[in-house]
């Protein structure tokens, strides 16, 4: 795919896609974070009306990248649903689409803080963490040394200023030892990597923000990043 950024993570080649998914070619594994399916219906139940199209839009985008990469395994890094009842609230069109995307693949749901229980009525395996060689997949990154950790949860974003113009975008964040993926969901926002929530997670001298553009990923060194 045009615009993919290669990166070395704990000795492994990973490919960072402009859509926000990460591909591990040696393991034929696609990794995606924070789908937040059924976020619109979750908000509606609390009286906050959002257009009810987020699940369909997110699944459409996910199908495109999975059709392109055709991975044998998919790891969804938690908060795949916005709450534990999200899977049960899916309409039949979206449920059928998700089944089609999952068919024939080893699908692993990592438990998130929004969806700690297995999704109701859906195939796949649910795990708190997944260890594959020296890589460890979990929802929420753990402070301190964590070589090979791959996580989501924080919805990383980055901001740069060039020629007086500010640009802000979701991003992959990595120092070569840990990777935090951007949120994939249609209604998911992002949190600047310079926010205190990231304290203790990265070697800032090695930090790279892989900012998502329309058709390519842009690698930006940490010292070029600015706060909001």
């Amino acid at each position: 795919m045009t615009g993919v950024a290669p990166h070395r993570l704990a000795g492994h080649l990973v490919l960072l896609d402009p859509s926000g998914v990460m591909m591990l070619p040696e393991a034929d594994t696609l990794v995606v974070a924070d789908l937040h399916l059924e976020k619109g219906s979750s908000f509606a139940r609390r009286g906050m009306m959002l257009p009810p199209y987020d699940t369909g839009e997110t699944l459409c985008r996910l199908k495109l990248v999975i059709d392109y990469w055709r991975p044998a395994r998919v790891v969804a890094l938690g908060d795949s649903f916005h709450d534990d009842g999200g899977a049960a609230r899916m309409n039949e069109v979206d449920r059928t689409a998700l089944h089609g995307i999952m068919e024939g693949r080893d699908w692993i749901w990592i438990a998130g803080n929004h969806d700690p229980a297995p999704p109701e009525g859906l195939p796949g395996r649910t795990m708190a963490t997944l260890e594959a060689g020296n890589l460890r997949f979990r929802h929420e990154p753990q402070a301190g040394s964590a070589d090979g950790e791959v996580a989501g949860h924080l919805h990383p974003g980055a901001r740069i200023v060039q020629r007086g113009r500010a640009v802000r975008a979701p991003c992959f964040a990595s120092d070569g030892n840990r990777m935090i993926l951007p949120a994939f969901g249609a209604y998911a926002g992002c949190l600047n990597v310079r926010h205190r929530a990231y304290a203790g997670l990265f070697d800032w001298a090695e930090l790279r923000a892989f900012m998502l553009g329309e058709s390519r990923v842009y690698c930006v060194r940490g010292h070029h990043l600015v706060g909001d």
Side-chain angles (χ1 to χ4, degrees), residues 132-150:
N134 66 335
L135 296 179
R136 177 175 292 179
F137 302 86
R138 57 161 50 103
H139 175 60
E140 187 170 354
Q142 304 296 300
S145 177
D147 288 356
E149 183 184 78
V150 182

Side-chain angles (χ1 to χ4, degrees), residues 159-168 211 224-227:
R159 183 172 181 263
I160 57 173
V161 177
Q162 292 184 324
R163 300 183 180 90
R165 178 172 175 263
V167 176
R168 188 174 189 268
M211 299 177 68
H224 289 304
L225 303 175
V226 297

Side-chain angles (χ1 to χ4, degrees), residues 1-219:
M1 179 174 284
T2 303
V4 168
H7 180 57
R8 302 297 298 189
L9 176 66
H12 297 270
L13 171 67
V14 298
L15 304 176
L16 308 179
D17 188 285
S19 68
V21 306
M22 182 176 79
M23 188 69 188
L24 291 89
E26 64 190 43
D28 200 9
T29 296
L30 183 144
V31 187
V32 62
D34 296 280
L35 296 169
H36 284 275
L37 300 173
E38 293 302 313
K39 183 174 182 177
S41 65
S42 180
F43 273 55
R45 293 175 70 196
R46 291 175 282 163
M48 294 177 283
M49 305 308 293
L50 293 175
Y53 310 119
D54 56 305
T55 296
E57 180 181 341
T58 300
L59 292 178
C60 182
R61 292 174 52 236
L62 185 60
K63 183 180 187 302
L64 287 174
V65 295
I66 287 182
D67 282 350
Y68 177 83
W69 290 108
R70 299 188 178 277
R73 174 194 281 177
V74 173
V75 179
L77 291 175
D79 286 2
S80 297
F81 291 87
H82 195 68
D83 58 53
D84 269 343
R89 292 197 307 275
M90 292 179 72
N91 64 48
E92 285 305 310
V93 171
D94 291 337
R95 182 178 294 276
T96 299
L98 180 54
H99 274 276
I101 293 169
M102 297 177 71
E103 186 176 4
R105 297 186 167 85
D106 179 19
W107 195 284
I108 298 172
W109 303 104
I110 300 297
N113 60 295
H114 280 264
D115 57 352
E120 182 178 337
L122 290 173
R125 298 179 286 156
T126 299
M127 303 180 177
T129 60
L130 169 68
E131 295 192 20
N134 66 335
L135 296 179
R136 177 175 292 179
F137 302 86
R138 57 161 50 103
H139 175 60
E140 187 170 354
Q142 304 296 300
S145 177
D147 288 356
E149 183 184 78
V150 182
H153 181 62
L154 291 175
H155 299 203
R159 183 172 181 263
I160 57 173
V161 177
Q162 292 184 324
R163 300 183 180 90
R165 178 172 175 263
V167 176
R168 188 174 189 268
C171 71
F172 299 88
S174 180
D175 59 3
N177 291 316
R178 171 186 275 120
M179 171 71 72
I180 304 180
L181 274 70
F184 193 88
Y187 286 171
C190 58
L191 180 67
N192 195 305
V193 293
R194 293 187 64 90
H195 190 277
R196 63 181 180 276
Y198 297 89
L201 296 180
F202 295 113
D203 175 352
W204 284 90
E206 301 297 328
L207 177 67
R208 303 290 186 274
F210 295 89
M211 299 177 68
L212 305 186
E214 185 173 336
S215 60
R216 61 169 290 191
V217 175
Y218 298 86
C219 179

